[in-house]
Amino acid sequence: HQKADWVSIHEKICQLLIPVRTPLPLHLAEKERKHGTEQLLKRQKYISELTYSTAQQLVLDGKHKEAVPAALHALRFGTEVYGSNSVHLVPAYLLLAEVSAGVGRLPQASKYLSQAQWIVLSTPDCSSAVQHQLHRSLGLFYAAQENFDQALYHLANDVYLASSTFGLKSLETSGGYFHMANIFFHQNKMDIANSLYTEV
């Protein structure tokens, strides 16, 4: 586990962790303490973004197992910055779900998706962009389980939300069409699949 953590992310963030782990001196003036707290928050935010982008790149490279430690760090530092119920954590939960599914841990992926879904449902002003990401992840998860009705339901929501946010001809929207086409192709519904592939 330590070797995987080191290879995945720790080597990149090791030096960044020192000032984050070092407590502020006790005898500081209010102004200095406030400045120290602001700097700590900036460092935590930077580490959260760095670990998230590293995990994302590892997933794109097909290295799901190596992405686990980086994705966990992204969630951990995101939680320290934004709190445990923030909508800012949804992308980290979705990434962890994708990583978990990629290493064959579907029950764990389901838990991460449930947490992301709960945050989105409990955030009334949640953006369509975040909701589109959630529905895409849910659609792909159900497709992996061969629950194609649920997969198509979530991917249709994904397409709707992506098109209303980014436009009908956006790359974000075409991704939803592509995944829907793959499902129809798998179901041997070639007319619908070809129509969606053409749309992509």
Side-chain angles (χ1 to χ4, degrees):
H1 291 295
Q2 287 178 330
K3 184 179 180 187
D5 184 46
W6 180 260
V7 170
S8 168
I9 192 63
H10 205 84
E11 186 177 15
K12 291 182 181 180
I13 64 171
C14 190
Q15 292 302 312
L16 299 171
L17 291 175
I18 295 169
V20 170
R21 300 281 186 251
T22 306
L24 292 172
L26 294 174
H27 308 295
L28 288 178
E30 182 64 31
K31 186 177 179 182
E32 292 170 325
R33 181 166 291 286
K34 185 178 177 185
H35 177 73
T37 304
E38 288 171 0
Q39 290 302 309
L40 174 64
L41 196 62
K42 282 182 184 177
R43 286 185 181 109
Q44 289 172 328
K45 192 173 184 180
Y46 175 76
I47 292 171
S48 175
E49 291 166 0
L50 175 65
T51 53
Y52 179 82
S53 63
T54 301
Q56 234 180 356
Q57 187 57 53
L58 288 166
V59 168
L60 290 174
D61 293 342
K63 300 176 179 178
H64 290 82
K65 189 174 182 181
E66 291 88 344
V68 171
L72 286 170
H73 279 297
L75 178 62
R76 181 167 167 242
F77 282 100
T79 302
E80 288 180 18
V81 172
Y82 301 110
S84 60
N85 294 323
S86 171
V87 75
H88 292 286
L89 300 180
V90 170
Y93 277 118
L94 297 179
L95 183 59
L96 276 164
E98 184 177 357
V99 167
S100 297
V103 295
R105 296 182 190 146
L106 290 181
Q108 188 64 44
S110 178
K111 287 179 185 176
Y112 288 130
L113 285 171
S114 294
Q115 187 63 33
Q117 193 171 23
W118 183 83
I119 290 172
V120 167
L121 291 173
S122 62
T123 308
D125 59 342
C126 184
S127 72
S128 294
V130 171
Q131 292 180 54
H132 126 76
Q133 291 174 341
L134 173 65
H135 282 288
R136 170 85 48 94
S137 295
L138 287 167
L140 293 175
F141 177 75
Y142 284 116
Q145 292 186 317
E146 297 188 0
N147 184 345
F148 297 124
D149 289 340
Q150 280 296 309
L152 288 170
Y153 168 80
H154 286 291
L155 290 171
N157 280 313
D158 161 31
V159 167
Y160 169 75
L161 291 162
S163 63
S164 67
T165 305
F166 304 105
L168 282 170
K169 303 291 182 190
S170 67
L171 288 174
E172 291 83 1
T173 304
S174 69
Y177 285 133
F178 179 75
H179 294 302
M180 289 178 79
N182 287 341
I183 290 172
F184 285 118
F185 182 85
H186 187 77
Q187 293 178 321
N188 211 21
K189 296 178 180 176
M190 301 311 291
D191 290 347
I192 302 171
N194 288 333
S195 173
L196 287 169
Y197 284 134
T198 301
E199 186 67 27
V200 172

